[in-house]
């Protein structure tokens, strides 16, 4: 009987042993998560160290708003994610109902959140229910933070987490990434304490995140800040430029502009050449930027720079040009530049040509590039330049509407311009709506000066087909 009793005891002990083993295993996992959690708590003060939040913020009691949390997350991602103006907002048709809900500064901030370079934090759809002043809830904090360190498959993809539709998905991902100690959603709708949000953020910043597309790098946000801090402590060499870079610009007989550049500079990397035209009162009219150090500006570019249509259908001509050549060192931290002003005193502009009568403008399928441009009457002349000016009112806010320009020439006198290898449209982004035209003819040479004969801009616009 004793033997039977011992066998029975051993059999009944097995489930207990299995349960004990499972308990020890789960306890060890929980202990690791707990240990990781408290280690991240110790990094909270690094948020102030790297100027992400202030020391005063870390000491403040209570909760924080949705806006405060989102601005903090955007600050971690860096200036590269910050939008410069609210202009893009007024191109997005579905956001029109929200135009009066947010200020211009808030719109700029929100654009940064759903166009963030590294990881977008908001969707456009979420803006319709977003209240920036509302208290940040525990679920809201986890939602934004899991997106902040979410799974992406290139440097510009949206994080997988931005597509989560269920609250449980977010809690599961936060638990897997060791941001929380349990998947309990009990406090999901309750405001999160400010100190708990900062602990959560520090934990996220101390988590490995994949950066990059083809060549993926595993790193933490904290490591990026620490490396940046080290690099700023390195002694920077100041670039000194003692010699004159180029001679005074001069016109050539074909109305192109040229200048001299020291030969050794022509092959330098990280260099740019820019020519900008200005009105008599110093307002910037147009500019042409080229990579590398250049020695000339073509006749077509010169016409584009000198003749510009201003606002309210008034022609405005450039009074002077500024030539700028810039060079940056290898890490782009230092630069030098030289500028030369070139007055257009040798160029006389006379508006003595007849106003043109636009016809139709046809485009390639699905593209903005004009395929053919025709006139109702008259012809395009092979010795003339034709400037197209589009008043593309694409923004819901008028102050952001911008004009666009294009220039073309024809091989022979014709009533229809065809975009081909012989007759090509010279432009960088013409909007084909509300497009007008003017004619330019050039007389003279570099020695005696130039006369630009110009027509008034057409009152009528081209019909699009």
């Amino acid at each position: 009987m004793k033997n039977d009793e011992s066998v029975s005891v051993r059999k009944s002990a097995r489930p207990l042993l299995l349960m004990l083993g499972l308990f020890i295993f789960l306890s060890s996992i929980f202990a690791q998560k707990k240990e990781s959690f408290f280690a991240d708590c110790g990094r909270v003060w690094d948020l102030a160290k790297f100027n992400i939040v202030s020391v005063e913020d870390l000491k403040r009691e209570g909760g924080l708003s949705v806006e405060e949390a989102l601005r903090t997350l955007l600050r971690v991602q860096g200036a590269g994610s910050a939008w410069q103006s609210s202009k893009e907002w007024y191109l997005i048709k579905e956001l029109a109902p929200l135009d009066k809900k947010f200020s211009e500064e808030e719109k700029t901030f929100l654009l940064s959140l759903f166009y963030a370079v590294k990881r977008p934090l908001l969707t456009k759809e979420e803006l319709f229910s977003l209240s920036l002043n509302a208290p940040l809830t525990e679920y809201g904090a986890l939602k934004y933070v899991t997106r902040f360190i979410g799974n992406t498959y290139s440097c510009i993809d949206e994080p997988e987490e931005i597509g989560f539709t269920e609250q449980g998905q977010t809690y599961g991902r936060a638990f897997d990434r060791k941001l929380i100690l349990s998947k309990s959603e009990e406090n999901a709708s309750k405001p999160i304490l400010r100190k708990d949000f900062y602990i959560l953020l520090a934990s996220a910043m101390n988590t490995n995140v994949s950066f990059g597309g083809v060549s993926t790098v595993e790193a933490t946000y904290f490591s990026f800040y620490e490396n940046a801090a080290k690099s700023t402590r390195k002694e920077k060499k100041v670039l000194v430029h003692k010699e004159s870079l180029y001679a005074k610009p001069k016109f050539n007989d074909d109305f192109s502009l040229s200048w001299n550049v020291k030969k050794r500079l022509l092959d330098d990397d990280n260099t740019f050449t820019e020519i900008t035209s200005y009105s008599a009162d110093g307002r910037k009219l147009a500019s042409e930027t080229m990579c590398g150090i250049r020695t000339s500006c073509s006749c077509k570019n010169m016409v584009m720079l000198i003749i510009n249509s201003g606002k309210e259908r008034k022609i405005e001509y450039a009074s002077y040009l500024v030539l700028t050549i810039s060079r940056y060192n290898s890490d782009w931290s230092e630069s030098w530049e030289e500028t030369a002003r070139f007055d257009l005193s040798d160029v006389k502009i006379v508006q003595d040509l007849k106003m043109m009568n636009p016809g139709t403008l046809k485009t390639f399928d699905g593209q903005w590039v004009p395929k053919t441009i025709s006139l109702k009457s008259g012809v395009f002349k092979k010795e003339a330049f034709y400037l197209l000016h589009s008043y593309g009112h694409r923004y819901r806010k008028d102050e952001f509407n911008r004009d666009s320009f294009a220039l073309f020439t024809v091989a022979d006198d014709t009533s229809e311009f065809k975009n081909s290898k012989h007759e090509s449209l010279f432009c960088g982004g013409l909007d084909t709506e509300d497009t007008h035209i003017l004619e330019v003819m050039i007389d003279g040479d570099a020695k005696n000066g130039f006369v630009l004969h110009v027509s008034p801009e057409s009152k009528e616009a081209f019909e699009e087909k």
Side-chain angles (χ1 to χ4, degrees):
M1 288 291 295
K2 288 184 179 180
N3 288 338
D4 292 340
E5 287 178 3
S6 63
V7 170
S8 176
V9 169
R10 284 199 301 271
K11 285 183 178 180
S12 62
R14 282 175 186 169
L16 293 174
L17 289 172
L18 286 172
M19 289 180 66
L20 179 61
L22 181 61
F23 176 76
I24 293 171
F25 174 73
L26 292 176
S27 297
S28 67
I29 296 232
F30 181 79
Q32 289 174 15
K33 285 184 176 288
K34 192 173 182 181
E35 182 181 347
S36 171
F37 179 80
F38 285 112
D40 292 331
C41 290
R43 300 222 62 173
V44 167
W45 292 99
D46 284 340
L47 299 178
K49 174 183 174 182
F50 296 122
N51 297 316
I52 295 165
V53 298
S54 67
V55 173
E56 290 71 24
D57 283 332
L58 291 178
K59 294 179 179 179
R60 286 170 64 185
E61 299 293 332
L64 73 167
S65 68
V66 170
E67 181 175 1
E68 284 181 275
L70 289 173
R71 286 188 184 275
T72 302
L73 290 170
L74 187 65
R75 202 173 298 126
V76 176
Q77 293 211 49
S81 295
W83 219 247
Q84 300 303 311
S85 78
S86 61
K87 179 178 178 179
E88 191 79 11
W89 178 280
Y90 297 97
L91 275 180
I92 306 171
K93 293 180 181 179
E94 60 263 35
L95 296 184
L98 301 177
D99 285 354
K100 294 183 179 179
K101 180 179 179 180
F102 300 107
S103 68
E104 294 304 305
E105 193 280 331
E106 287 171 339
K107 290 170 187 171
T108 302
F109 162 59
L110 293 171
L111 282 169
S112 301
L113 292 172
F114 59 79
Y115 282 140
V117 174
K118 293 178 181 175
R119 279 165 176 76
L121 301 179
L122 276 179
T123 65
K124 294 170 190 174
E125 292 73 24
E126 288 174 331
L127 294 179
F128 286 89
S129 58
L130 182 68
S131 175
L132 291 173
N133 294 324
L136 180 70
T137 63
E138 181 184 87
Y139 169 57
L142 292 176
K143 180 173 64 175
Y144 299 134
V145 170
T146 52
R147 292 173 180 180
F148 171 70
I149 58 170
N151 295 327
T152 63
Y153 303 98
S154 80
C155 57
I156 57 173
D157 281 348
E158 291 185 342
E160 179 186 30
E161 289 78 0
I162 207 167
F164 286 173
T165 56
E166 301 295 331
Q167 184 172 286
Q169 291 176 290
T170 295
Y171 272 82
R173 185 54 52 87
F175 181 78
D176 292 340
R177 299 302 296 270
K178 300 181 181 179
L179 301 180
I180 52 178
L181 296 176
S182 79
K183 297 181 183 179
S184 172
E185 301 173 30
E186 182 181 354
N187 298 318
S189 60
K190 295 180 180 178
I192 189 172
L193 292 176
R194 180 181 293 271
K195 64 178 182 179
D196 291 335
F197 172 73
Y198 290 145
I199 291 172
L200 178 66
L201 176 58
S203 181
M205 289 184 64
N206 204 31
T207 300
N208 272 355
V209 181
S210 296
F211 293 93
V214 178
S215 301
T216 303
V217 176
E218 286 278 337
T220 68
Y221 278 101
F222 272 133
S223 68
F224 280 112
Y225 274 82
E226 286 157 356
N227 289 335
K230 291 177 184 176
S231 66
T232 55
R233 288 195 290 267
K234 294 179 181 178
E235 184 179 351
K236 290 185 178 179
K237 294 182 180 179
V238 179
L239 294 176
V240 179
H241 183 241
K242 298 180 180 178
E243 299 177 291
S244 176
L245 183 61
Y246 43 75
K248 181 180 179 180
K250 63 179 181 179
F251 270 121
N252 301 310
D253 287 339
D254 64 350
F255 200 63
S256 64
L257 196 69
S258 63
W259 53 90
N260 295 328
V261 176
K262 294 185 181 297
K263 188 176 180 180
R264 65 178 178 79
L265 295 173
L266 291 175
D267 297 326
D268 277 5
D269 296 327
N270 303 342
T271 53
F272 298 89
T273 303
E274 181 179 52
I275 303 178
T276 307
S277 61
Y278 292 87
S279 63
D281 60 359
R283 287 181 295 106
K284 180 179 177 180
L285 298 178
S287 64
E288 173 75 13
T289 302
M290 301 161 280
C291 292
I293 294 180
R294 305 302 178 90
T295 58
S296 64
C297 181
S298 70
C299 173
K300 285 185 176 181
N301 265 320
M302 289 301 296
V303 174
M304 288 279 283
L305 286 166
I306 293 175
I307 299 179
N308 290 273
S309 294
K311 293 182 178 179
E312 300 177 359
R313 304 295 198 264
K314 293 181 180 178
I315 304 298
E316 187 165 21
Y317 309 120
S319 178
Y320 63 93
L321 305 174
V322 173
L323 170 64
T324 304
I325 294 184
S326 308
R327 183 178 183 274
Y328 296 80
N329 64 356
S330 57
D331 65 358
W332 298 84
S333 61
E334 302 281 345
S335 69
W336 56 249
E337 68 176 30
E338 286 212 7
T339 61
R341 174 169 164 153
F342 183 65
D343 291 312
L344 299 171
S345 54
D346 290 335
V347 180
K348 183 180 180 181
I349 302 174
V350 181
Q351 195 177 98
D352 58 357
L353 299 182
K354 185 180 178 181
M355 182 184 293
M356 302 188 72
N357 194 4
T360 59
L361 185 151
K362 295 181 181 179
T363 59
F364 292 101
D365 292 339
Q367 298 183 38
W368 58 263
V369 181
K371 183 177 181 181
T372 61
I373 302 170
S374 63
L375 299 174
K376 287 181 181 177
S377 61
V379 296
F380 296 121
K381 305 164 193 171
K382 67 178 180 180
E383 66 270 21
F385 294 90
Y386 295 94
L387 183 67
L388 298 176
H389 177 202
S390 173
Y391 297 87
H393 297 284
R394 298 180 294 117
Y395 296 93
R396 294 193 300 279
K397 196 164 188 178
D398 288 342
E399 68 183 68
F400 293 123
N401 290 335
R402 72 175 183 86
D403 302 345
S404 60
F405 303 90
L407 192 75
F408 69 91
T409 57
V410 293
D412 296 295
D413 291 358
T414 179
S415 61
E416 184 178 72
F417 161 86
K418 295 180 180 179
N419 210 355
S420 67
K421 64 179 180 179
H422 300 297
E423 301 171 350
S424 60
L425 194 68
F426 178 78
C427 65
L430 179 74
D431 300 316
T432 53
E433 57 180 307
D434 196 10
T435 302
H436 300 253
I437 189 170
L438 60 91
E439 185 179 52
V440 182
M441 298 187 72
I442 303 173
D443 283 336
D445 54 40
K447 182 178 179 180
N448 300 304
F450 295 92
V451 178
L452 270 57
H453 302 274
V454 183
S455 73
E457 185 176 278
S458 64
K459 290 183 179 178
E460 294 184 27
F462 281 94
E463 180 186 355
E464 281 192 77
K465 286 190 175 181

